[in-house]
Amino acid sequence: MKPVNEAKLTFLSRSANEGFARTAAACFAAQLDPTLDEVNDIKTAVSEAVTNCIVHAYPDRLGTVTLRLRLFEDNTLEIVIKDSGVGIPDVEEARKPLFTTGGADRSGMGFTIMESFMDTLKVRSIQGKGTTVTLRRRVSRRLGG
């Protein structure tokens, strides 16, 4: 299916850019006239994915994070967050609730949160090459809008 609109942003893995990515995704999703709850869900999922890049993909250096946003005719928003960092050794293990490699201050709930707020979550990772997280959410069409 071909997107009806798309955007792509690349930014440094600085913690300040997590808010930028979250806001950019929400602004792009606004074209679908989402509810406030839907916007908050999208922002939370993007925040978790970008934070994973900042904390885990580039633990000892700055790198780049790419955010690709696409809208489809069926009111589906696709968000792809990609890094070129260290990669995830075991994606299945990393997706388990409470698993973290980020130390005691990390909750290990990032993928669980993303999955709970989106319709689908795909994670592809190659050690030493990076990780790609694909989030999809269908936004309900509202009557009278």
Side-chain angles (χ1 to χ4, degrees):
M1 187 168 31
K2 189 177 175 188
V4 295
N5 198 6
E6 59 188 310
K8 185 175 178 181
L9 303 165
T10 301
F11 49 90
L12 289 176
S13 60
R14 293 188 183 282
S15 59
N17 287 331
E18 175 271 326
F20 167 68
R22 181 181 61 223
T23 302
C27 289
F28 189 80
Q31 299 167 67
L32 298 174
D33 193 27
T35 65
L36 190 55
D37 285 342
E38 289 169 328
V39 170
N40 287 333
D41 290 354
I42 291 163
K43 287 168 67 174
T44 300
V46 169
S47 178
E48 291 294 333
V50 171
T51 297
N52 278 355
C53 296
I54 293 166
V55 172
H56 301 291
Y58 305 108
D60 54 2
R61 66 181 173 94
L62 282 178
T64 58
V65 178
T66 300
L67 174 69
R68 189 182 78 198
L69 304 154
R70 300 192 317 163
L71 298 178
F72 296 92
E73 282 184 18
D74 67 349
N75 262 30
T76 297
L77 171 66
E78 179 184 79
I79 304 164
V80 178
I81 297 101
K82 182 177 170 124
D83 66 64
S84 300
V86 299
I88 302 170
D90 185 340
V91 171
E92 191 174 316
E93 183 179 30
R95 288 184 67 165
K96 291 179 182 173
L98 305 178
F99 177 84
T100 185
T101 59
D105 62 328
R106 309 308 308 176
S107 72
M109 294 298 290
F111 286 128
T112 302
I113 291 168
M114 286 180 247
E115 197 164 33
S116 70
F117 288 129
M118 303 303 281
D119 295 333
T120 62
L121 165 68
K122 288 184 194 170
V123 182
R124 286 187 304 118
S125 191
I126 300 171
Q127 278 197 271
K129 301 271 186 191
T131 301
T132 301
V133 172
T134 303
L135 306 164
R136 288 178 72 96
R137 170 81 181 248
R138 189 165 183 193
V139 174
S140 56
R141 295 186 191 271
R142 295 197 286 167
L143 300 174

